[in-house]
Amino acid sequence: MLAEIITIGDEILIGQIVDTNSAWMGRELNKIGIGVKQITSVSDNADHIIEALDEAQKRADVILITGGLGPTRDDITKLTLSRYFNMPLRRDKVTLDHVEALFAKFNRPMIDVNIRQADVPDGCTVIQNKNGTAPCMWFEVNGKTFISMPGVPFEMMYLMEEEILPRLKNNFDLPFIVHKTILTVGQGESFLAQQIEDIEDSLPSHIKLAYLPKLGQVRLRLSATGKDELKLKIEMNIYAQQIIERAKAYIAAEEDVPLEKAILDMMKAKNLTLSTAESCTGGYISHLITQHAGSSTVFVGGAVAYSYDLKEAVLGVKHETLTEFGAVSEQTVKEMAAGAITHFKTDYSIAVSGIAGPDGGMPGKPVGTVWVAIASKDKTVAKLFTFSNKRIQNIERSATAALTMLLNLLKQDLN
Amino acid sequence: MLAEIITIGDEILIGQIVDTNSAWMGRELNKIGIGVKQITSVSDNADHIIEALDEAQKRADVILITGGLGPTRDDITKLTLSRYFNMPLRRDKVTLDHVEALFAKFNRPMIDVNIRQADVPDGCTVIQNKNGTAPCMWFEVNGKTFISMPGVPFEMMYLMEEEILPRLKNNFDLPFIVHKTILTVGQGESFLAQQIEDIEDSLPSHIKLAYLPKLGQVRLRLSATGKDELKLKIEMNIYAQQIIERAKAYIAAEEDVPLEKAILDMMKAKNLTLSTAESCTGGYISHLITQHAGSSTVFVGGAVAYSYDLKEAVLGVKHETLTEFGAVSEQTVKEMAAGAITHFKTDYSIAVSGIAGPDGGMPGKPVGTVWVAIASKDKTVAKLFTFSNKRIQNIERSATAALTMLLNLLKQDLN
């Protein structure tokens, strides 16, 4: 069973946006046993869209189309599909009610182009889009399935998760693909590969191991394909346990969760609380943490302290420490971490101070110099990192480094 | 002059990596007047690569190919090109010297697969890759140009900037493509389209207008194609000014920048400072702001105050306010904003308190209820929003709402 993804929109081709939808869709389709044969991005041009549709259906069984469903005149996907499948537009009552309700809710006047969002090719199945005005349209033509969705990521994701993936699973006799992901931190992929080489060599042909590295973390993903889901899970778990046992020192989670979520789960189970004191990461660490539902039972809050003033007033860093050693120093970052424990009354704290760049480097402290401290009520540990001269990368790497240090301290303390 | 980008690699199709190369290449090609007709991602499969090459040369004049040039056995791009163009491999002396020098520099032993990196199809122009072992290969066949590059982003970018873009500019008589982007906030795209309909209708055929909506923001992008860059810019600017004048109330920036960057630039020009007091956005707003180089001249810092304790201790919210009206209330969010002004000593502040969800709703305050306050030294304004039950979306929408309120207050104050 093969799929092709067609993303429509001039903004992709001129590079104004990066197409992140396709990677997400590829991952989700793979999980249910559908491989992606090709990803094609085309402009808002009817002839070109039709050419892409023609070519895609020669290669794939399911063609997923995103984008070009907005109300403005550069959005021509719906008209093109109507022409391609020779299905004239009809006004769909359910969609119109939904669009009207949305406009009523936000108390906005509806104009003609909004009403036309309810027009659909006569012959497709209409699936309502709870998060927007453009519905999802599902076509079954000549034994092929065409599914058109909005390109707005959260609208597309919701439709995929709630409607499209379940229907695809239902319509086709797909093999089971079972995944088990193990999150490791603090070791490179080639080192890990060497450590578990014999386990990897012993895997049967229907179980595959992939290394997914990202900023100091490596996800080990086992995927097994077959007809008997339970048998697959039991079998895969045997190999997973061997890997976990071997790589024990680097395991952050035995499931596919972000690092900060693994930490939250660990702390929640022990009723521990956390606070942050961020300088160069500028709130990124607290943002990572508070993305997760239920984070408030562990995370109390934190300070984003860019200025000396704030570091003193909110975190209680001593003025002399700042003037003598500077904001980016072991002494300051330790006082920030200790200050967070005292002022925010938590069991653990994370503090980061560094030079994210691209400017602000100084002799002995180039751009990319970052101090991280982790404190508990008993102790404070600090570590120096030297990253690159790229600001966003430095922020992300600092966050991963800080979370890894916290994880390691927690593993020590909780053992 | 049209280009097509073909990216090769299984890791793209299974969603293991997001293809960021194509967007970057699209931007750079556009700058020199080459439009990208299509972006195609295919797997490491010879027949499929050949099919993609066949189709691409029907549509485009220049075909840029990335990926599949590594030394391992799943990398088959070079062999496939050799077969497709019927050009047997020859060992290239200059490339071999370069590869040997690289290995000598890093003091690593060369094995057979490394030596084979110097084999190239006999008939292509070889361009050395200073950052890696796989050279760039340039083919001129049947009036079409095919350029194969490594997929590693920094190798590809260097080759594009230093070698490929200059050669393309030299080889072809290219038109200029000029873009002008206007950022609007607070109005939907259909409303904006209606407001500027007559301006859009009056655009000459070589100037196009696109609407790029994203979470309460709409980017209006004008693109003009022609031979005379200066004339195009002047001409486009006339239409841009008409749009700006018409949509004045919703304009955040007259260039292609994120909303928070538009605000930073506006505040920096007036030497104004900003702080944040975030509850449900959990540091996301300060993260957005501090992503930008130079943000520290405007942004002093802020608090992420999840708990009552922190709201009182760090922001000075009165205990009675919290107990009487609750954390998610007009009274609390106004005290948070005023507290940030006082405690963090800034000219402006942003405060957000809401129920991001998915749990935590209560009678009269469902999940998605968010209060935003903006304070200056003179006044505090607050507004209630009702978003959805999706946590991440609520966080993003709250941030956009808060930034939009700040922008509007700034526009008022600075006029």
Side-chain angles (χ1 to χ4, degrees), chain B residues 17-18 26 41 44 49 58 69 85 138 140 156 164 219 239 265-266 271 291 321 334 338 347 360 367 401 405 407 410:
Chain B
I17 62 161
V18 171
S41 300
D44 297 296
I49 293 171
K58 286 181 210 151
L69 296 181
F85 294 121
W138 184 299
E140 296 282 352
M156 178 281 290
I164 296 164
R219 284 179 163 68
Y239 295 103
D265 291 344
M266 199 181 280
N271 284 316
Q291 282 181 90
T321 308
K334 279 183 162 176
D347 300 307
V367 168
M405 281 176 65
L407 177 83
L410 283 168

Side-chain angles (χ1 to χ4, degrees), chain B residues 65-257:
Chain B
I65 306 151
T66 66
L69 296 181
T72 53
R73 81 182 84 159
D74 55 330
D75 292 305
I76 56 158
T77 301
K78 189 164 67 184
L79 284 172
T80 306
L81 292 170
S82 160
R83 177 180 137 197
Y84 184 64
F85 294 121
N86 198 17
M87 294 178 183
L89 295 180
R90 66 172 178 87
R91 186 145 301 171
D92 185 63
K93 178 76 177 68
V94 181
T95 307
L96 186 62
D97 289 349
H98 168 65
V99 174
E100 283 174 346
L102 266 187
F103 274 78
K105 184 178 163 193
F106 293 109
N107 209 8
R108 291 214 324 232
M110 262 180 91
I111 55 176
D112 198 41
V113 290
N114 306 125
I115 294 168
R116 286 206 294 268
Q117 290 289 77
D119 294 348
V120 296
D122 195 1
C124 75
T125 303
V126 181
I127 301 171
Q128 292 308 314
N129 169 9
K130 288 185 187 148
N131 296 306
T133 57
C136 169
M137 296 170 287
W138 184 299
F139 303 83
E140 296 282 352
V141 180
N142 298 333
K144 304 283 177 172
T145 301
F146 299 80
I147 305 160
S148 162
M149 285 168 279
V152 182
F154 78 90
E155 297 183 24
M156 178 281 290
M157 287 178 191
Y158 182 84
L159 281 164
M160 283 285 288
E161 282 173 346
E162 300 295 319
E163 302 283 352
I164 296 164
L165 294 167
R167 285 170 198 234
L168 288 173
K169 269 198 276 196
N170 212 40
N171 290 8
F172 299 105
D173 179 29
L174 299 170
F176 283 103
I177 301 189
V178 183
H179 297 286
K180 166 90 182 169
T181 300
I182 301 160
L183 173 63
T184 72
V185 293
Q187 269 303 344
E189 62 175 314
S190 52
F191 177 88
L192 285 167
Q194 200 186 36
Q195 293 294 103
I196 59 174
E197 194 176 13
D198 58 317
I199 306 173
E200 191 173 357
D201 285 340
S202 73
L203 291 174
S205 66
H206 66 285
I207 302 187
K208 303 216 177 305
L209 175 64
Y211 296 81
L212 312 172
K214 186 189 149 196
L215 281 180
Q217 305 166 43
V218 179
R219 284 179 163 68
L220 303 174
R221 193 190 60 222
L222 286 160
S223 310
T225 311
K227 286 278 167 200
D228 184 339
E229 188 180 11
L230 184 66
K231 201 177 134 228
L232 281 179
K233 281 192 174 161
I234 292 170
E235 191 184 15
M236 197 164 61
N237 207 40
I238 294 170
Y239 295 103
Q241 288 310 319
Q242 288 178 13
I243 293 172
I244 290 164
E245 185 55 35
R246 186 74 61 81
K248 208 176 351 187
Y250 314 111
I251 303 291
E254 298 180 16
E255 54 182 332
D256 193 9
V257 292

Side-chain angles (χ1 to χ4, degrees), chain A residues 15-16 27 39 154 302 304 391, chain B residues 15 27 41 221 290 302 304 393:
Chain A
Q16 179 148 12
R27 271 198 305 279
I39 300 166
F154 77 88
V304 178
R391 184 176 184 87
Chain B
R27 272 198 305 279
S41 300
R221 193 190 60 222
T290 57
V304 178
Q393 256 181 51

Side-chain angles (χ1 to χ4, degrees), chain A residues 293-369:
Chain A
S295 50
S296 61
T297 53
V298 170
F299 185 67
V300 169
V304 178
Y306 253 39
S307 68
Y308 272 31
D309 266 8
L310 242 85
K311 288 188 180 81
E312 294 173 28
V314 180
L315 295 166
V317 176
K318 289 199 280 296
H319 186 70
E320 310 81 66
T321 309
L322 286 165
T323 49
E324 190 172 341
F325 302 102
V328 181
S329 65
E330 179 171 4
Q331 291 80 359
T332 296
V333 83
K334 278 183 163 175
E335 288 189 25
M336 286 168 67
I341 293 275
T342 316
H343 288 66
F344 307 148
K345 302 190 184 72
T346 55
D347 300 306
Y348 287 84
S349 72
I350 295 173
V352 184
S353 185
I355 303 158
D359 306 312
M362 51 191 109
K365 291 179 187 173
V367 169
T369 303

Side-chain angles (χ1 to χ4, degrees), chain A residues 4-5 10-20 22-24 26-27 30 36-43 45 48 51-52 55 58-59 70-75 103 105-106 108-109 111-114 131 152 154-155 158 161-162 210-213 221 276 278-296 299-307 309-310 313-314 343-345 357-359 391-392 395, chain B residues 4 12-20 22-24 26-28 30 36-43 45 48 51-52 55 58-59 179 181 186-191 193-194 197 200-201 209-213 215 219 221 223 256 276 278-296 299-307 309-310 313-314 343-345 357-359 386-388 390-393 395 397:
Chain A
E4 179 150 339
I5 298 170
D10 294 345
E11 65 276 21
I12 299 170
L13 297 171
I14 66 163
Q16 179 148 12
I17 62 161
V18 171
D19 169 25
T20 54
S22 297
W24 186 89
R27 271 198 305 279
N30 259 276
V36 174
K37 178 74 178 165
Q38 180 165 318
I39 300 166
T40 307
S41 300
V42 300
S43 62
N45 171 295
H48 194 187
E51 191 182 310
E55 288 169 0
K58 287 181 208 150
R59 284 183 290 258
T72 52
R73 76 179 86 165
D74 55 328
D75 293 303
F103 274 78
K105 184 179 164 194
F106 293 110
R108 287 244 182 103
I111 55 177
D112 197 44
V113 290
N114 304 126
N131 296 306
V152 182
F154 77 88
E155 297 183 23
Y158 182 85
E161 282 174 345
E162 301 294 321
Y211 296 81
L212 314 175
R221 193 188 60 213
T276 51
E278 301 185 64
S279 184
C280 71
T281 45
Y284 183 60
I285 296 175
S286 65
H287 166 57
L288 286 179
I289 292 168
T290 57
Q291 282 182 91
H292 300 286
S295 50
S296 61
F299 185 67
V300 169
V304 178
Y306 253 39
S307 68
D309 266 8
L310 242 85
V314 180
H343 288 66
F344 307 148
K345 302 190 184 72
D359 306 312
R391 184 176 184 87
I392 308 252
I395 293 173
Chain B
E4 179 151 337
I12 298 170
L13 297 172
I14 64 167
Q16 190 170 321
I17 62 161
V18 171
D19 168 25
T20 53
S22 297
W24 186 88
R27 272 198 305 279
E28 296 304 313
N30 257 278
V36 174
K37 178 76 178 163
Q38 179 166 320
I39 300 165
T40 306
S41 300
V42 300
S43 62
N45 171 296
H48 194 186
E51 191 181 311
E55 288 170 0
K58 286 181 210 151
R59 284 183 291 257
H179 297 286
T181 300
Q187 269 303 344
E189 62 175 314
S190 52
F191 177 88
Q194 200 186 36
E197 194 176 13
E200 191 173 357
D201 285 340
L209 175 64
Y211 296 81
L212 312 172
L215 281 180
R219 284 179 163 68
R221 193 190 60 222
S223 310
D256 193 9
T276 51
E278 300 185 64
S279 184
C280 70
T281 45
Y284 183 60
I285 296 175
S286 64
H287 166 57
L288 285 179
I289 293 168
T290 57
Q291 282 181 90
H292 300 284
S295 50
S296 61
F299 185 67
V300 169
V304 178
Y306 252 40
S307 68
D309 265 9
L310 242 87
V314 180
H343 288 67
F344 307 148
K345 301 188 184 74
D359 306 314
T386 310
F387 298 124
S388 71
K390 300 253 174 202
R391 186 177 183 87
I392 308 250
Q393 256 181 51
I395 292 172
R397 288 187 176 186

